Amino acid sequence: MKPRVSTTVPETPPRISTIDWEGNAAGTLLLLDQTLLPTRVEPRRIDTLDEVIDAIRRLVVRGAPAIGVTAGYGAVLIARTGGDGYAALREGLPRLRTARPTAVNLQQTVDRIAALVARLEREGTPTAKLSGHLLDEARTIHAEDEGRCESMGQHGAELLTDGMTLLTHCNTGRLATGGIGTALGVITTAFHQGKRLDVYAGETRPLLQGARLTAFELAEVGIPCTLLADSAGAGLIGSGEIDAVLVGADRIAANGDTANKVGTLPLALAASHFGVPFYVVAPTTTLDTSIADGTAIPIEGRGADEILDALGPNRVPAGISARNPAFDVTPNALVTALVTERGVIHHPTTESIKPLGAPSR
Ligand code: MRU
């Protein structure tokens, strides 16, 4: 009998939205503080550009689509800083755009906002009305992401059958998006269709998005979840116990090469070797058709302290250095299928991805 984590959250904590906006354009951005989960379920109030950049960098909010949605609301905060909102946006949007480098959803949102701001300026919209327009746009971006998650869930659930045992990595659910999630959204959709599923969640060193967040979400929904040390994933795939691997993505190049949380590539290699399906679930806002393949995807390097202090202070010898790439790139040849809101592409290539075109609205 394999050891399980609890399938219910003790004393069910309040279900707080991952991203919310309180009030009108003068209101506040509320982010469920993911650095505190699962022990504390608390929203963090965000009122300034500096606070939103800090929240994105420290992973208060994380997951590619969620970062993109947050950036939409971040633009409202910039526009209402007083004085010339257009000038503030010209200065602030590039800073927001580079808060984290790998998730293209962030850049995609900021570019969309910049285009809207340019149009509003051309049309002579007064600066006092800017934040209202941007709040409308942020809410639209949020709702669109929610819709894409629903569609990915429906398409992806068709790949899953009753009784499957799945392996996933990092966190790709409601905490990572503006809706039900990408890979985890597929899993929860299939579960709600009545399919019985067992899910192994890789703990996702060093920041433990799998152990802290995916286990929390699966418990919220009531899906059986077993935690796995990241280094055990390939062996489990090789043992024949895993029917499919499902992951999300932070950026997908034109040919289908996929950047996702570090530790994804070893799972893809193992899945390919042992003939287990490896599914990438991501909205079209995660596609970056401006780059031909994964070699051009910028990989975020995070602080060495996240590795050195992962087990608490002074647990590694003094003076030891650490390298902390936050993502790795899985070549398209290892991807059995890419699930987007527009459907399933088997064995993605430049030719098969091209018809997806621009992100759907
Ligand atoms: O560093 P994070 O927690 O932002 O990394 C998140 C991931 O790698 C997810 O797998 C990815 O964003 C896809 S989730 C919808």
mmCIF file of all heavy atoms in Angstrom, residues 19-45:
data_model
loop_
_atom_site.group_PDB
_atom_site.id
_atom_site.type_symbol
_atom_site.label_atom_id
_atom_site.label_comp_id
_atom_site.label_asym_id
_atom_site.label_seq_id
_atom_site.Cartn_x
_atom_site.Cartn_y
_atom_site.Cartn_z
ATOM 1 N N ILE A 19 -6.264 35.281 -7.715
ATOM 2 C CA ILE A 19 -6.091 36.689 -8.117
ATOM 3 C C ILE A 19 -7.469 37.340 -8.079
ATOM 4 O O ILE A 19 -8.430 36.807 -8.642
ATOM 5 C CB ILE A 19 -5.544 36.786 -9.562
ATOM 6 C CG1 ILE A 19 -4.267 35.967 -9.722
ATOM 7 C CG2 ILE A 19 -5.303 38.251 -9.965
ATOM 8 C CD1 ILE A 19 -3.910 35.667 -11.176
ATOM 9 N N ASP A 20 -7.547 38.485 -7.437
ATOM 10 C CA ASP A 20 -8.839 39.164 -7.346
ATOM 11 C C ASP A 20 -8.596 40.673 -7.353
ATOM 12 O O ASP A 20 -7.500 41.125 -7.023
ATOM 13 C CB ASP A 20 -9.539 38.761 -6.041
ATOM 14 C CG ASP A 20 -11.049 38.749 -6.201
ATOM 15 O OD1 ASP A 20 -11.547 39.259 -7.228
ATOM 16 O OD2 ASP A 20 -11.721 38.224 -5.296
ATOM 17 N N TRP A 21 -9.622 41.414 -7.734
ATOM 18 C CA TRP A 21 -9.540 42.875 -7.662
ATOM 19 C C TRP A 21 -10.721 43.344 -6.826
ATOM 20 O O TRP A 21 -11.858 42.993 -7.115
ATOM 21 C CB TRP A 21 -9.581 43.502 -9.047
ATOM 22 C CG TRP A 21 -9.439 44.995 -8.988
ATOM 23 C CD1 TRP A 21 -10.446 45.907 -8.815
ATOM 24 C CD2 TRP A 21 -8.226 45.740 -9.055
ATOM 25 N NE1 TRP A 21 -9.926 47.181 -8.774
ATOM 26 C CE2 TRP A 21 -8.565 47.108 -8.922
ATOM 27 C CE3 TRP A 21 -6.880 45.397 -9.212
ATOM 28 C CZ2 TRP A 21 -7.610 48.131 -8.942
ATOM 29 C CZ3 TRP A 21 -5.935 46.415 -9.241
ATOM 30 C CH2 TRP A 21 -6.291 47.755 -9.113
ATOM 31 N N GLU A 22 -10.412 44.139 -5.812
ATOM 32 C CA GLU A 22 -11.453 44.622 -4.909
ATOM 33 C C GLU A 22 -11.805 46.052 -5.293
ATOM 34 O O GLU A 22 -10.927 46.911 -5.337
ATOM 35 C CB GLU A 22 -10.892 44.581 -3.481
ATOM 36 C CG GLU A 22 -11.849 44.912 -2.382
ATOM 37 C CD GLU A 22 -11.103 44.891 -1.045
ATOM 38 O OE1 GLU A 22 -10.372 45.875 -0.759
ATOM 39 O OE2 GLU A 22 -11.227 43.906 -0.306
ATOM 40 N N GLY A 23 -13.072 46.279 -5.590
ATOM 41 C CA GLY A 23 -13.524 47.649 -5.819
ATOM 42 C C GLY A 23 -13.349 48.109 -7.247
ATOM 43 O O GLY A 23 -13.167 47.319 -8.177
ATOM 44 N N ASN A 24 -13.406 49.438 -7.416
ATOM 45 C CA ASN A 24 -13.285 50.035 -8.747
ATOM 46 C C ASN A 24 -11.806 50.279 -9.070
ATOM 47 O O ASN A 24 -10.929 49.713 -8.416
ATOM 48 C CB ASN A 24 -14.118 51.324 -8.831
ATOM 49 C CG ASN A 24 -13.649 52.346 -7.791
ATOM 50 O OD1 ASN A 24 -12.541 52.215 -7.249
ATOM 51 N ND2 ASN A 24 -14.468 53.342 -7.507
ATOM 52 N N ALA A 25 -11.561 51.152 -10.057
ATOM 53 C CA ALA A 25 -10.168 51.342 -10.495
ATOM 54 C C ALA A 25 -9.277 51.939 -9.409
ATOM 55 O O ALA A 25 -8.053 51.874 -9.503
ATOM 56 C CB ALA A 25 -10.141 52.213 -11.747
ATOM 57 N N ALA A 26 -9.886 52.485 -8.365
ATOM 58 C CA ALA A 26 -9.080 52.985 -7.247
ATOM 59 C C ALA A 26 -8.869 51.886 -6.198
ATOM 60 O O ALA A 26 -8.300 52.134 -5.130
ATOM 61 C CB ALA A 26 -9.786 54.186 -6.599
ATOM 62 N N GLY A 27 -9.331 50.670 -6.494
ATOM 63 C CA GLY A 27 -9.310 49.574 -5.513
ATOM 64 C C GLY A 27 -7.953 48.899 -5.379
ATOM 65 O O GLY A 27 -6.910 49.492 -5.653
ATOM 66 N N THR A 28 -7.986 47.629 -4.990
ATOM 67 C CA THR A 28 -6.761 46.927 -4.604
ATOM 68 C C THR A 28 -6.686 45.564 -5.285
ATOM 69 O O THR A 28 -7.693 44.871 -5.420
ATOM 70 C CB THR A 28 -6.761 46.714 -3.067
ATOM 71 O OG1 THR A 28 -6.709 47.984 -2.436
ATOM 72 C CG2 THR A 28 -5.574 45.902 -2.599
ATOM 73 N N LEU A 29 -5.471 45.184 -5.680
ATOM 74 C CA LEU A 29 -5.220 43.842 -6.195
ATOM 75 C C LEU A 29 -5.012 42.906 -5.009
ATOM 76 O O LEU A 29 -4.217 43.216 -4.098
ATOM 77 C CB LEU A 29 -3.981 43.867 -7.098
ATOM 78 C CG LEU A 29 -3.450 42.534 -7.601
ATOM 79 C CD1 LEU A 29 -4.494 41.787 -8.427
ATOM 80 C CD2 LEU A 29 -2.175 42.751 -8.431
ATOM 81 N N LEU A 30 -5.719 41.785 -5.018
ATOM 82 C CA LEU A 30 -5.583 40.803 -3.935
ATOM 83 C C LEU A 30 -4.979 39.531 -4.513
ATOM 84 O O LEU A 30 -5.552 38.918 -5.423
ATOM 85 C CB LEU A 30 -6.950 40.488 -3.317
ATOM 86 C CG LEU A 30 -7.697 41.658 -2.661
ATOM 87 C CD1 LEU A 30 -9.089 41.226 -2.231
ATOM 88 C CD2 LEU A 30 -6.922 42.190 -1.466
ATOM 89 N N LEU A 31 -3.835 39.136 -3.988
ATOM 90 C CA LEU A 31 -3.187 37.900 -4.439
ATOM 91 C C LEU A 31 -3.134 36.921 -3.275
ATOM 92 O O LEU A 31 -2.662 37.287 -2.182
ATOM 93 C CB LEU A 31 -1.753 38.198 -4.908
ATOM 94 C CG LEU A 31 -1.608 39.136 -6.107
ATOM 95 C CD1 LEU A 31 -0.128 39.435 -6.372
ATOM 96 C CD2 LEU A 31 -2.260 38.530 -7.350
ATOM 97 N N LEU A 32 -3.618 35.719 -3.496
ATOM 98 C CA LEU A 32 -3.462 34.677 -2.480
ATOM 99 C C LEU A 32 -1.962 34.426 -2.322
ATOM 100 O O LEU A 32 -1.282 34.066 -3.287
ATOM 101 C CB LEU A 32 -4.191 33.406 -2.946
ATOM 102 C CG LEU A 32 -4.005 32.144 -2.109
ATOM 103 C CD1 LEU A 32 -4.371 32.377 -0.648
ATOM 104 C CD2 LEU A 32 -4.862 31.020 -2.681
ATOM 105 N N ASP A 33 -1.430 34.651 -1.130
ATOM 106 C CA ASP A 33 0.020 34.592 -0.938
ATOM 107 C C ASP A 33 0.491 33.139 -0.947
ATOM 108 O O ASP A 33 0.377 32.424 0.054
ATOM 109 C CB ASP A 33 0.411 35.287 0.373
ATOM 110 C CG ASP A 33 1.922 35.433 0.494
ATOM 111 O OD1 ASP A 33 2.657 34.714 -0.225
ATOM 112 O OD2 ASP A 33 2.371 36.268 1.294
ATOM 113 N N GLN A 34 1.047 32.716 -2.097
ATOM 114 C CA GLN A 34 1.416 31.307 -2.260
ATOM 115 C C GLN A 34 2.691 30.947 -1.515
ATOM 116 O O GLN A 34 2.994 29.767 -1.362
ATOM 117 C CB GLN A 34 1.524 30.970 -3.749
ATOM 118 C CG GLN A 34 0.199 31.199 -4.469
ATOM 119 C CD GLN A 34 0.184 30.677 -5.883
ATOM 120 O OE1 GLN A 34 0.793 29.655 -6.203
ATOM 121 N NE2 GLN A 34 -0.534 31.366 -6.758
ATOM 122 N N THR A 35 3.421 31.962 -1.032
ATOM 123 C CA THR A 35 4.611 31.638 -0.243
ATOM 124 C C THR A 35 4.207 31.098 1.133
ATOM 125 O O THR A 35 5.019 30.482 1.810
ATOM 126 C CB THR A 35 5.522 32.872 -0.046
ATOM 127 O OG1 THR A 35 4.822 33.848 0.747
ATOM 128 C CG2 THR A 35 5.932 33.488 -1.359
ATOM 129 N N LEU A 36 2.962 31.357 1.548
ATOM 130 C CA LEU A 36 2.506 30.928 2.877
ATOM 131 C C LEU A 36 1.784 29.587 2.864
ATOM 132 O O LEU A 36 1.593 28.977 3.910
ATOM 133 C CB LEU A 36 1.563 31.987 3.478
ATOM 134 C CG LEU A 36 2.100 33.420 3.570
ATOM 135 C CD1 LEU A 36 1.030 34.355 4.126
ATOM 136 C CD2 LEU A 36 3.349 33.467 4.448
ATOM 137 N N LEU A 37 1.354 29.152 1.667
ATOM 138 C CA LEU A 37 0.590 27.895 1.573
ATOM 139 C C LEU A 37 1.492 26.695 1.864
ATOM 140 O O LEU A 37 2.669 26.738 1.542
ATOM 141 C CB LEU A 37 -0.008 27.756 0.161
ATOM 142 C CG LEU A 37 -1.138 28.723 -0.175
ATOM 143 C CD1 LEU A 37 -1.522 28.597 -1.654
ATOM 144 C CD2 LEU A 37 -2.355 28.470 0.700
ATOM 145 N N PRO A 38 0.972 25.628 2.436
ATOM 146 C CA PRO A 38 -0.439 25.413 2.766
ATOM 147 C C PRO A 38 -0.806 25.804 4.203
ATOM 148 O O PRO A 38 -1.964 25.664 4.568
ATOM 149 C CB PRO A 38 -0.590 23.900 2.583
ATOM 150 C CG PRO A 38 0.742 23.371 3.021
ATOM 151 C CD PRO A 38 1.770 24.399 2.606
ATOM 152 N N THR A 39 0.176 26.288 4.972
ATOM 153 C CA THR A 39 -0.133 26.500 6.399
ATOM 154 C C THR A 39 -1.009 27.726 6.625
ATOM 155 O O THR A 39 -1.851 27.735 7.513
ATOM 156 C CB THR A 39 1.164 26.628 7.238
ATOM 157 O OG1 THR A 39 2.092 27.417 6.513
ATOM 158 C CG2 THR A 39 1.763 25.291 7.548
ATOM 159 N N ARG A 40 -0.804 28.769 5.817
ATOM 160 C CA ARG A 40 -1.647 29.955 5.958
ATOM 161 C C ARG A 40 -2.290 30.289 4.624
ATOM 162 O O ARG A 40 -1.620 30.301 3.596
ATOM 163 C CB ARG A 40 -0.807 31.144 6.462
ATOM 164 C CG ARG A 40 -0.569 31.040 7.978
ATOM 165 C CD ARG A 40 0.601 31.842 8.438
ATOM 166 N NE ARG A 40 0.509 33.261 8.134
ATOM 167 C CZ ARG A 40 1.546 34.098 8.163
ATOM 168 N NH1 ARG A 40 2.746 33.643 8.468
ATOM 169 N NH2 ARG A 40 1.401 35.369 7.888
ATOM 170 N N VAL A 41 -3.581 30.558 4.665
ATOM 171 C CA VAL A 41 -4.332 30.878 3.447
ATOM 172 C C VAL A 41 -4.751 32.329 3.567
ATOM 173 O O VAL A 41 -5.779 32.652 4.155
ATOM 174 C CB VAL A 41 -5.555 29.944 3.295
ATOM 175 C CG1 VAL A 41 -6.276 30.223 1.980
ATOM 176 C CG2 VAL A 41 -5.130 28.485 3.368
ATOM 177 N N GLU A 42 -3.914 33.215 3.047
ATOM 178 C CA GLU A 42 -4.134 34.650 3.256
ATOM 179 C C GLU A 42 -3.929 35.431 1.970
ATOM 180 O O GLU A 42 -2.958 35.195 1.255
ATOM 181 C CB GLU A 42 -3.105 35.200 4.275
ATOM 182 C CG GLU A 42 -3.333 34.732 5.674
ATOM 183 C CD GLU A 42 -2.212 35.190 6.615
ATOM 184 O OE1 GLU A 42 -1.463 36.127 6.263
ATOM 185 O OE2 GLU A 42 -2.094 34.581 7.683
ATOM 186 N N PRO A 43 -4.817 36.387 1.697
ATOM 187 C CA PRO A 43 -4.573 37.269 0.558
ATOM 188 C C PRO A 43 -3.564 38.355 0.936
ATOM 189 O O PRO A 43 -3.487 38.763 2.087
ATOM 190 C CB PRO A 43 -5.942 37.890 0.281
ATOM 191 C CG PRO A 43 -6.650 37.845 1.587
ATOM 192 C CD PRO A 43 -6.063 36.725 2.398
ATOM 193 N N ARG A 44 -2.797 38.775 -0.058
ATOM 194 C CA ARG A 44 -1.883 39.905 0.136
ATOM 195 C C ARG A 44 -2.421 41.084 -0.662
ATOM 196 O O ARG A 44 -2.791 40.931 -1.832
ATOM 197 C CB ARG A 44 -0.488 39.513 -0.354
ATOM 198 C CG ARG A 44 0.528 40.646 -0.329
ATOM 199 C CD ARG A 44 1.894 40.106 -0.658
ATOM 200 N NE ARG A 44 2.439 39.387 0.469
ATOM 201 C CZ ARG A 44 3.246 39.928 1.402
ATOM 202 N NH1 ARG A 44 3.605 41.193 1.302
ATOM 203 N NH2 ARG A 44 3.693 39.202 2.388
ATOM 204 N N ARG A 45 -2.481 42.239 -0.044
ATOM 205 C CA ARG A 45 -2.993 43.432 -0.712
ATOM 206 C C ARG A 45 -1.847 44.103 -1.473
ATOM 207 O O ARG A 45 -0.778 44.335 -0.909
ATOM 208 C CB ARG A 45 -3.590 44.411 0.314
ATOM 209 C CG ARG A 45 -4.700 43.776 1.135
ATOM 210 C CD ARG A 45 -5.274 44.751 2.142
ATOM 211 N NE ARG A 45 -6.134 45.736 1.510
ATOM 212 C CZ ARG A 45 -7.404 45.518 1.203
ATOM 213 N NH1 ARG A 45 -7.963 44.362 1.484
ATOM 214 N NH2 ARG A 45 -8.118 46.451 0.621
#
